[in-house]
Amino acid sequence: MKNDCQAIVWNDSLVTGVQVIDKQHQILVDMLNEANNRLTERSGREVFEEIVHDLLSYALYHFDTEEALMVTHHYDQSLQQIHFQEHRNFSRTVAQLQQDLQQNKLISRDELLGFLNGWLVNHIMKTDKQLGSFLCQPVADEGAIS
Amino acid sequence: MNSIDIFPWNDNFNTGIEIVDQQHQRLVLLLNRLASHLAFQTDLPALDDIFDELAAYAVYHFQSEEAIWHAFLPADVLEAEHKAGHEDFVKTIEQLKNQQGTQSVERVIEELLAYLARWLASHILENDRHMALIVQGMQAGASAEQAKIDAKLAIDCNLKVLIDIILSSYSSLTRNTLQMMRELVAHKRDLEFLRKLSLAVDQSPSSIIITDINANIEFVNDSFLKVTGYSRAEVIGQNPRILKSGQTPDAIYKAMWETLSAGEVWEGELINKRKDGSLYTEHAIISPIFQAEGNPSHFLAIKEDITARKQAEIALKQSEEKFRSIFEYSNDALMFMKGDCYVDGNSSSLAMFGVESVEALKGLTPVDLSPTFQSDGSLSVTLAKGQIDKAYSDGFSRFDWLHRRKDGEEFAAEVGLYAFKLQNETVLLANVRDISERKRAEKQLAESEYKYHSLIDLAGDAIFIIDAATGLIIDCNRSASNLLGRAKSDIINSSQTTLHPDNQFEHYQRLINEHIVSGKAIAEDMSVQHQDGRIIPVDITATMIELGGNPVILGVFRDITKRKQVEDEMRIAATAFDTQQGMLITNANREIVRINKTFTEISGYSANELLGNNPRILSSGLHDADFYADMWRSINASGVWQGEIWDRRKSGEVYPVNLTVTAVRDKQNNITNYVATHSDITQLKQHQVEIEHIAYHDPLTQLPNRRLLADRMGLALSRAKRTNESVAIVCIDLDGFKEVNDTFGHDAGDQLLIEAAHRMQHCVRTEDTVSRLGGDEFVLLLGGISNRDDCEVTLRRVLGEMTKPFNIGDTRSICISGSIGYTLFPEDTADADTLLRHADHAMYGAKQSGKNRFHRFDLKQDNRVTANWGALTLIEKALENGEFRLFIQPKVSLLSGQVVGAEALIRWQHPIRGLVYPVEFLALLEKHELSIKLGHWVICEGMRILHGWVEQGIDLTLSVNVSARQLRESDFSSKLAATLQEFQSVPPRQLEIEIVESAALDDISKVSTLIMACRALGVRFSLDDFGTGYSSLTYLNRLAVDTLKIDQTFVRDMLDDDNALAIVRGVIGLARAFNNETVAEGVETWPQAAKLKAMGCGIIQGYAVAKPMPAENFPAWLTQFQMPDLKDYL
């Protein structure tokens, strides 16, 4: 059953152009790959716990970076709201996973992988790239963000 | 009163006007009455009355006269003159009256009389008469002028002279009359006095004799005659010496005459003789009587026959003396009392009370000679009054009394009070007997009797007194009653045969008789039968004694049940001592006093060789002095030491023993002995090595397993830290192993694993570790690495070995490869687990990159580590920036509907993200130091909120959540104590610590100890998420918590899910059994609350009541909360 999902290889479609964001995005891609690798339908709670733990860390750390950038650079308010909302939803889902784990309810491997894939496609490839293009705009007095 | 008319009315005084004449007569009457007063020397108030009456009547009379004159001669000069005369009279009377103070009454009256007489004469005879003539003339029809002329003519000029003469004769007549009348009155008075005196002398009961100066009797009275028997004729003219009896001492007569000659009164007693010769005693007062010129002319003797009185006096005196001597010499205190005061007392009474004299006794009351309280606690003053009143009313009263001497010493007394009449007065004779000696004796007797009874009764041995003749029990003590379980009354008078078990009496009787006869000390191995059927072993000592002349057996029975037990125990102990374990006992000086057979067998030493020696004779020499010092310290401190120790047999062979040394202490807690149990564990040791090997090794490859790997890693890491060398942690996974298993079967797979293990071992140094974690996962620990190449050389060798064909079973050749990941410590400064994970991670990398290769873990590229690290940094910063908040969720009692407490729930108030829930960050901290820091912040913040509540008067419990990791910190309780100390206003009971059930169960003994320690500080505990952790009853019992919180998942599901409902019901029941409070968490609806209440749950928490709210909103919420009636939701 292992390896039946192809590992995601980092590629241009994922690049936002903002180095710090991209580096963090790669973490998520790694996590997704590792989950893909390590999880089987019979995987024990420990593996899930480790993955969920990592996702929680990631959500805190990464969203903080992005959101700080949005605030600092006065990203469009409505876009900011949409963006924030997606982050909140991600966090809430991971938190739910964490809670379920605590109550010994294990999510299925496919569900977890599906969720992470969906995030990759819907958020990173759309919302984050949108942010990336905003941040990469040359700004007269701030210079380029690299 | 005698009265005289010194101024008799004469018709010549009449004026012819009737009313005037009547009034004149009245005035004359008053004048005469005044004269009588003077004559008979009346008193002043009567004189005043007369003055007043005279004045008042004069005024009345003058008005009558003036009215008449005015009617006939208005405004006439005559009328005015007349009127002036009247006024003059009133004024004069007034003056005379006022003279009373300065002049004698007689003088005043004389002047008054003289004035009145003159005035009456001139006024009536002249003025009034003149006026009357005028009036009469006018009445007869004459004019006023004519009438005046006629009247003038009618009163002759000579008449005036006549009036003066009359007046002067009246005046002298008046004075003489008065004088004469006065003398007459005085004379009458003297006569009366003499008459009375003569009667008195004659009738006096005393004899009266009057003699002349030569003692010739001139007068005797009747009493004299009666007393002496002489007639008056026989004594007049005689000398009183005729009465002389010769009994009166001459000295008395001498003294009498000397006194009388000196002109003084003599008084004395004489014994005289009557005419008939009988003697009588008389008391005489003899006085000389002096004449006006001063010489004595007579003697007057007044004598009284006192013979009878004298005899009575003597009798009285004798009786008094008799009484006195009884009174005085009585041993009892005798005292007389009047009212409640002592008036007299004998010498015994003075001695008894310590009063110095009868004078000092006088006026004291019994209360003065008593303590304030009597022995029964009553007030002496009240009791004394009662007894005294009783004596006065009943005639006597006898009672016991506590008296007190003047010096303060108290004594018991028996008091009798007897009332009797003395000279018409009821007095009390108080008879007081000091009975303190008697009391003391009584008390001593009672005490000694009590002592004897107590001794007998309290004696531990049962004592029976048996009538030797009848065999009946006469008496027994309490122990006897206890021994038999029968009441004393039941035992007494029963036969001695009932003491012993049925049918055994005769046997015992014989033994006891032998014992009595032989005088042997004790009849042993006897028994008695208890009421409940038990047979109680006793020793009996029996003695034959005499009691009231009858032979009785005094039997002392001693219950030896305990001794028997001890004997049995000792027998058991002795048997147990000779057990398969070696036993060695020393005294407190550690000298061997006893060993058992087994010890001899084990050690090879006989008892004789060891007794008296120090056990160190057995030591192997393998342990240093510190080891033994520690051992003895432990024994002396805790009373016991247990451990393995190497000893040396007599043969010189060293052998391992499992040794337990126990200190034996006496009741004073002094060590008396040490007991060592000693088992030879040579064989056990060997066995243990096998077991350990199994426990730490993989049974298939005999390689160290995960446990041993962890040990070795710990050692390797600490060595690396010391030596500055690196350790490589290497994970090896065999590529294609799964296929081997699938294709060739598990046995082949196992063979391959064994072979792979061997090859790996050949690739590394002996001090390195090759371990198998399971499946095809191997871990190598390579020490002494100085650089990456050192390590990679070995890894290449391993890879090479793995690719060599494996010949399994029937020479089949199998080809596989290995993927290796490694990390280097301390370059990678993580803990052992993380290092393993890193190596594992790197191994995945190698597999990803195409297998049969090794990958080194690159810290910098490990994004996950970065993410974790980054997240932790954010949380730490948030804590520093004060971005954490405690939200408050109330807990409500289902019984009272009142808010009873609240839970503090952590929230992260993120400046950008807003409220972050703990589920999003708490798990990240679980294995990190930061969780301790945050946990501490939660407790402090909780206390700060509680402090605010205390100030606002909110007395509620606030619970805070503490993680298992925090709880297990060694300084948790001391830190908690310090925090409580910081908020002294907050009672510790208001703080509750919630720990998750599963966390508590992780390390139950440590956690339960901690809970105890914290509860000792006053803090409450609750077990959170209860129901999820599979607590057993034993565990729950060990966790001394106050509250169980039912996990919200069960509460949420309970109305739909029977299992959840059963769990909720179970938890409530469990809580009740352990006397815990139940809090149901996550109560979202009132129907849930109603159901929980129906099941007996005490408290709820959840959205139904309130969502968690910022702490500052809580007080306001509290005031408005009202619980709905849950009946509506059932």
Side-chain angles (χ1 to χ4, degrees), chain A residues 27 30-31 34 37-38 50 53-54 56-57 60-61 63-64 67-68 71 84 88 91 95 98 103-104, chain B residues 837 841 844 848 863-864 866-868 870-871 874-875 908 910 912-913 919-921 923-924 1030 1049 1052:
Chain A
I27 298 174
D30 283 350
M31 284 179 183
E34 192 188 326
N37 244 323
R38 291 177 64 193
E50 225 170 88
H53 181 276
D54 287 345
L56 282 172
S57 289
L60 262 188
Y61 170 64
F63 295 164
D64 191 78
E67 289 172 16
V71 173
F84 280 18
R88 293 300 90 78
S91 294
Q98 163 75 11
Q103 288 163 19
N104 269 336
Chain B
R837 202 159 54 82
H841 198 215
Y844 274 107
Q848 296 269 311
N863 294 324
R864 279 175 48 204
T866 315
N868 277 329
L874 285 175
I875 295 171
W908 181 357
H910 191 283
I912 295 171
R913 309 179 69 187
V919 68
E920 292 183 37
F921 60 85
L924 303 182
Y1030 314 105
T1049 54
R1052 190 185 59 213

Side-chain angles (χ1 to χ4, degrees), chain A:
Chain A
M1 297 286 271
K2 250 185 188 177
N3 303 332
D4 59 355
C5 274
Q6 273 306 304
I8 294 168
V9 181
W10 184 254
N11 60 71
D12 282 354
S13 69
L14 294 166
V15 172
T16 60
V18 183
Q19 203 182 332
V20 65
I21 294 178
D22 286 340
K23 216 176 152 190
Q24 291 180 4
H25 281 167
Q26 281 175 30
I27 298 174
L28 189 72
V29 171
D30 283 350
M31 284 179 183
L32 182 61
N33 282 332
E34 192 188 326
N36 195 4
N37 244 323
R38 291 177 64 193
L39 279 178
T40 68
E41 285 303 325
R42 292 188 304 276
S43 286
R45 184 174 158 159
E46 294 78 24
V47 183
F48 275 98
E49 268 178 353
E50 225 170 88
I51 291 168
V52 170
H53 181 276
D54 287 345
L55 288 174
L56 282 172
S57 289
Y58 171 75
L60 262 188
Y61 170 64
H62 172 57
F63 295 164
D64 191 78
T65 309
E66 279 190 4
E67 289 172 16
L69 284 171
M70 286 186 251
V71 173
T72 320
H73 296 280
H74 309 293
Y75 190 47
D76 176 80
Q77 276 296 323
S78 59
L79 290 176
Q80 217 178 90
Q81 284 312 309
I82 293 167
H83 203 136
F84 280 18
Q85 197 50 53
E86 287 182 11
H87 283 174
R88 293 300 90 78
N89 288 342
F90 181 90
S91 294
R92 199 169 304 132
T93 306
V94 178
Q96 189 57 51
L97 290 178
Q98 163 75 11
Q99 224 155 18
D100 288 349
L101 262 178
Q102 278 173 2
Q103 288 163 19
N104 269 336
K105 278 191 269 181
L106 300 188
I107 187 179
S108 77
R109 173 178 183 269
D110 290 346
E111 236 179 307
L112 179 62
L113 293 176
F115 163 66
L116 292 177
N117 272 317
W119 175 258
L120 220 64
V121 173
N122 293 319
H123 184 74
I124 296 181
M125 294 171 116
K126 287 181 186 163
T127 318
D128 281 348
K129 281 188 86 163
Q130 204 174 357
L131 171 65
S133 62
F134 164 75
L135 291 171
C136 289
Q137 279 171 18
V139 179
D141 48 356
E142 285 186 37
I145 308 281
S146 59

Side-chain angles (χ1 to χ4, degrees), chain B residues 951-1020:
Chain B
E951 288 195 328
Q952 293 175 69
I954 300 172
D955 181 18
L956 295 175
T957 306
L958 183 67
S959 57
V960 294
N961 292 279
V962 169
S963 72
R965 187 185 160 130
Q966 189 182 0
L967 198 65
R968 281 197 291 264
E969 279 292 295
S970 59
D971 62 349
F972 177 76
S973 58
S974 61
K975 246 175 159 171
L976 178 64
T979 310
L980 290 172
Q981 191 68 24
E982 208 177 306
F983 292 94
Q984 279 192 338
S985 65
V986 181
R989 62 167 173 77
Q990 274 182 251
L991 183 68
E992 187 169 79
I993 288 176
E994 294 196 10
I995 45 169
V996 177
E997 182 200 11
S998 51
L1001 298 182
D1002 275 355
D1003 190 353
I1004 181 101
S1005 63
K1006 174 130 196 209
V1007 169
S1008 67
T1009 315
L1010 246 153
I1011 290 178
M1012 294 292 197
C1014 295
R1015 277 169 61 106
L1017 297 171
V1019 172
R1020 296 162 56 87

Side-chain angles (χ1 to χ4, degrees), chain B residues 570-707:
Chain B
M570 278 172 70
R571 207 161 31 242
I572 293 166
T575 313
F577 189 69
D578 278 327
T579 161
Q580 70 277 15
Q581 286 205 310
M583 306 265 280
L584 178 150
I585 302 176
T586 76
N587 58 19
N589 299 326
R590 302 184 198 164
E591 291 159 359
I592 298 169
V593 293
R594 198 167 166 190
I595 61 168
N596 68 354
K597 270 186 231 153
T598 315
F599 192 86
T600 302
E601 282 161 17
I602 295 172
S603 67
Y605 288 104
S606 70
N608 285 341
E609 288 170 306
L610 288 181
L611 296 190
N613 279 305
N614 189 294
R616 80 168 69 91
I617 192 173
L618 304 165
S619 67
S620 62
L622 291 182
H623 306 285
D624 57 13
D626 284 350
F627 175 86
Y628 289 108
D630 279 350
M631 181 179 99
W632 284 110
R633 231 190 324 278
S634 163
I635 296 167
N636 290 330
S638 65
V640 68
W641 182 88
Q642 187 172 23
E644 281 174 18
I645 188 168
W646 292 91
D647 273 357
R648 190 181 294 276
R649 297 191 220 273
K650 192 182 175 189
S651 64
E653 186 196 349
V654 169
Y655 65 108
V657 291
N658 193 340
L659 176 68
T660 307
V661 183
T662 312
V664 180
R665 290 172 189 274
D666 62 14
K667 280 180 184 163
Q668 285 74 42
N669 213 28
N670 299 315
I671 292 174
T672 57
N673 295 91
Y674 296 99
V675 177
T677 23
H678 194 100
S679 42
D680 184 344
I681 52 165
T682 313
Q683 286 182 351
L684 191 71
K685 262 285 189 216
Q686 285 160 1
H687 194 57
Q688 202 172 328
V689 169
E690 282 165 29
I691 290 170
E692 268 174 22
H693 185 82
I694 292 165
Y696 287 100
H697 290 83
D698 168 33
L700 182 65
T701 60
Q702 301 302 317
L703 290 177
N705 62 7
R706 190 186 286 272
R707 277 174 75 187

Side-chain angles (χ1 to χ4, degrees), chain B residues 167-177:
Chain B
L167 272 180
S168 98
S169 72
Y170 261 120
S171 178
S172 88
L173 173 68
T174 305
R175 195 171 292 125
N176 292 338
T177 308

Side-chain angles (χ1 to χ4, degrees), chain B residues 5 18 36 65 74 114 128 156 224 238 261 298 306 313 379 404 664 681 738 794 848 942 987 1054 1083-1084 1119-1120:
Chain B
D5 287 350
E18 197 183 347
S36 301
E65 266 189 10
D128 287 351
D156 188 70
F224 176 88
Q238 295 293 322
S261 306
H298 293 83
I306 56 166
E313 260 178 27
L379 269 173
R404 186 173 61 191
V664 180
I681 52 165
K738 195 170 176 288
T794 309
Q848 296 269 311
M1054 83 185 176
V1083 179
E1084 288 172 358
T1119 55
Q1120 58 78 49

